[in-house]
Amino acid sequence: MGTSDSSALDAPVLRVSDGAGREDAKVVLDGARDAAETVAVVNVGPVGIEELTPLAAVTNDGTTAFHANCTPEHARTLVEALEDGTVVEEDAYAVVSHDERETELPIPDDGPLAVGHRDVLGRCGWTDPTTADGYDGFVAEEAADAPEAVLERVETLGLLGRGRGDASMDEPIAEEWTVARETDGDPVVVVNGGETDDRNGTDRLLLEADPISVLDGATTVAHAVGAADIIVYVPESTHATRDRVREAMEAFSETDVGEDVTIQTAEAPDMYMAAEPTMALEALEGNDRLEARLRPPSPGEYGLYGRPTIVHTPRTLAQVRRALRSPDAFDAEDADPGTRLVTVTGDVVAPATLELPTGGSLKTVQDAVSLDSEFKMACVGGQFGGVTRSLDHTPSAPALTGAHLGTDGVVELFDQSRCAVATAGTRAKFAEEENCGRCVPCREGSKQLTNLVRDVYSGDFKDDMLRELGRTLRETSICQFGKDASRPVTTAMDEFEPEFRAHAEGRCPSGACREKR
């Protein structure tokens, strides 16, 4: 039977890209291993493009052929040919020539894998996520030797936090590092992978495909702020993801840098709000009822059990690692240096998670997915993202915020069958049902928001009242949940006001609401 050892990946190898716990990839792996005698068969992490999965990559002598939607039977055929030194190129999705000792996924000239960049995502779908083999040094080594210098470099670059689970979301992360470093107490670093919104696969992809890089980034932060403890916070329902992270933790702990910190996992409740940074701290402290905490004080000053706490998403930590490894790729003059991960979903054949340059265009995401039918609109930014007709925006935080869109790494593409009013109303109802209840603006405002959208269906479109309520929620809510809750409604009104007026007249232009009336 073939080996799964990844220590000799310059030899003939078949890689199978999978998501943790995916049964379809497991049977492909089993089929390949049954046929293998000398060929290495490696279970690599997900590549991020669901339309290609299970993806088999056949490599020998600096050539890789990618076979999409691989079956167990086809995997056996690929292995049998590879035993004779042959890379099967017939019917391959793409064939790429590369260095024989390549440690990152070689990029085809076209197709979804060629969309955007694969810098942070470079190892995803190419290396065994449960081993530290093949890493050319860890940035945490530099942080251990010169923590102040690392903090200064990150500060100079102006790297921003990414994702709603980051305590420094869209803000310079070095500021919070400095607060934690200068505050009395034993600091702790929380890797906030608690996202439960299935539309957002960005952090889950990193934790399943390249958790070692996330742990390296977290250890770098720990050294920079003087922390010895790291907690990886993942949803309790994602058992396969958690198990994969634990395997990576064990491998990382055996490295020189991994010996310097204590890393443990903790389960996040399967609730949307559990990923909000202060509610994540509430969950980690064992509180049954999660409520947002007032800020200030920031977690960096008063966090987990009163300790200085840094809360970063896996996306942010992966960016930290890349910034320190490749500082020339970051422009300190850029308002949002680096890249941003986005999951493209909605009315598509299959979702895709991409890495986009912050100076690029969101329009490129359409090249990575197949839309079910003609494009109508997008919701950018997740559950409480902004509704827009156009994707002609750069993915940077300042640009998205300026366009009243969200920065939480989700682009939902919707076709002509979708109703803008119903889309906005569904998200308003979610805000009413899922808010923590801590602050009046969010608790009561979300109820009023839902009722005002319902009134539209009853013939009463209170345009000014909806906009004023949205402003109140944005400016007075305690946490990001409440600040963003009205955005789907107000942006849908901006882009599709005629649809709102049509509904008040008893018509749904898209036809989606006929059965509801």
Side-chain angles (χ1 to χ4, degrees):
M1 179 177 292
T3 177
S4 61
D5 181 12
S6 61
S7 61
L9 294 190
D10 54 332
V13 58
L14 177 83
R15 298 172 172 87
V16 178
S17 172
D18 80 319
R22 284 191 59 143
E23 193 61 32
D24 54 353
K26 182 180 182 300
V27 295
V28 172
L29 276 164
D30 290 343
R33 286 172 177 163
D34 286 344
E37 295 180 3
T38 61
V39 167
V41 177
V42 182
N43 180 3
V44 295
V47 75
I49 310 295
E50 287 292 316
E51 199 167 343
L52 303 178
T53 302
L55 181 66
V58 191
T59 302
N60 192 30
D61 291 334
T63 297
T64 292
F66 292 98
H67 292 260
N69 311 125
C70 191
T71 64
E73 294 74 18
H74 191 49
R76 283 192 286 270
T77 299
L78 297 176
V79 168
E80 289 167 358
L82 195 56
E83 291 285 356
D84 295 328
T86 302
V87 173
V88 177
E89 298 184 9
E90 185 180 0
D91 297 326
Y93 149 69
V95 179
V96 184
S97 297
H98 53 83
D99 186 277
E100 290 185 14
R101 297 290 297 178
E102 182 61 69
T103 59
E104 296 186 349
L105 186 120
I107 308 300
D109 292 332
D110 51 31
L113 285 174
V115 177
H117 290 197
R118 289 194 75 90
D119 297 324
V120 165
L121 296 182
R123 300 178 68 89
C124 297
W126 187 250
T127 58
D128 183 345
T130 64
T131 177
D133 294 342
Y135 281 82
D136 184 20
F138 294 100
V139 296
E141 293 176 332
E142 180 181 353
D145 295 335
E148 293 181 358
V150 164
L151 194 156
E152 184 178 345
R153 283 173 59 189
V154 171
E155 183 177 22
T156 299
L157 289 174
L159 187 64
L160 308 183
R162 278 141 167 77
R164 70 183 181 97
D166 202 292
S168 301
M169 181 178 180
D170 300 333
E171 299 291 337
I173 61 176
E175 294 179 7
E176 194 80 346
W177 293 15
T178 300
V179 170
R181 183 179 175 86
E182 295 178 351
T183 300
D184 292 337
D186 296 325
V188 59
V189 174
V190 174
V191 180
N192 189 356
E195 180 61 78
T196 58
D197 187 348
D198 289 339
R199 286 169 289 199
N200 193 337
T202 54
D203 289 329
R204 187 168 61 251
L205 173 61
L206 289 170
L207 290 176
E208 292 188 5
D210 193 12
I212 298 289
S213 288
V214 175
L215 296 175
D216 187 23
T219 305
T220 299
V221 178
H223 288 318
V225 302
D229 297 315
I230 297 172
I231 300 173
V232 184
Y233 177 73
V234 292
E236 60 186 3
S237 61
T238 57
H239 303 296
T241 302
R242 186 185 63 225
D243 291 344
R244 184 164 290 183
V245 170
R246 285 176 174 170
E247 287 186 76
M249 286 166 46
E250 184 175 344
F252 185 71
S253 68
E254 295 174 356
T255 66
D256 291 340
V257 293
E259 296 175 347
D260 298 334
V261 291
T262 299
I263 308 176
Q264 59 182 308
T265 59
E267 294 184 349
D270 287 320
M271 306 163 63
Y272 176 83
M273 63 182 180
E276 192 278 329
T278 64
M279 284 191 257
L281 297 179
E282 291 280 302
L284 288 170
E285 290 179 359
N287 295 320
D288 293 331
R289 176 176 174 79
L290 304 188
E291 291 185 342
R293 297 180 180 180
L294 291 170
R295 293 196 286 178
S298 71
E301 186 178 8
Y302 188 84
L304 188 64
Y305 294 112
R307 300 166 62 183
T309 305
I310 298 297
V311 185
H312 284 326
T313 59
R315 277 169 281 174
T316 300
L317 296 168
Q319 286 287 324
V320 168
R321 184 174 192 271
R322 178 173 174 256
L324 294 173
R325 283 181 59 84
S326 307
D328 293 342
F330 286 69
D331 185 354
E333 300 301 318
D334 193 337
D336 187 2
T339 57
R340 283 191 173 256
L341 300 189
V342 297
T343 297
V344 191
T345 186
D347 297 329
V348 299
V349 172
T353 296
L354 310 171
E355 183 178 353
L356 303 179
T358 54
S361 173
L362 279 182
K363 292 177 70 174
T364 60
V365 304
Q366 292 176 300
D367 297 331
V369 294
S370 301
L371 196 64
D372 290 338
S373 61
E374 185 182 356
F375 174 76
K376 175 181 179 177
M377 62 183 179
C379 184
V380 179
Q383 178 68 51
F384 298 137
V387 176
T388 177
R389 292 178 182 270
S390 171
L391 290 174
D392 193 16
H393 303 282
T394 61
S396 71
L400 293 174
T401 301
H404 307 294
L405 305 176
T407 62
D408 194 32
V410 182
V411 178
E412 295 172 83
L413 304 179
F414 295 132
D415 62 27
Q416 293 292 332
S417 69
R418 294 284 188 149
C419 171
V421 181
T423 298
T426 298
R427 293 167 196 245
K429 181 64 174 174
F430 180 91
E432 178 188 1
E433 294 175 344
E434 298 294 327
N435 72 85
C436 76
R438 169 73 186 272
C439 71
V440 173
C442 182
R443 184 181 68 243
E444 300 303 321
S446 59
K447 293 178 185 177
Q448 295 175 32
L449 185 68
T450 303
N451 289 333
L452 286 171
V453 175
R454 282 202 187 102
D455 288 346
V456 176
Y457 285 87
S458 301
D460 193 4
F461 175 34
K462 301 182 179 71
D463 180 291
D464 291 342
M465 189 175 294
L466 276 164
R467 294 186 186 281
E468 177 60 22
L469 177 59
R471 184 193 66 78
T472 301
L473 279 163
R474 285 194 303 274
E475 295 182 1
T476 61
S477 295
I478 288 177
C479 78
Q480 210 63 40
F481 185 106
K483 293 179 186 298
D484 294 342
S486 65
R487 183 162 53 198
V489 174
T490 56
T491 53
M493 288 166 55
D494 290 339
E495 296 286 282
F496 295 95
E497 184 176 345
E499 285 200 16
F500 279 79
R501 298 199 179 281
H503 278 73
E505 295 169 0
R507 297 181 293 108
C508 175
S510 68
C513 298
R514 284 178 186 153
E515 295 181 1
K516 299 178 182 179
R517 293 184 59 81

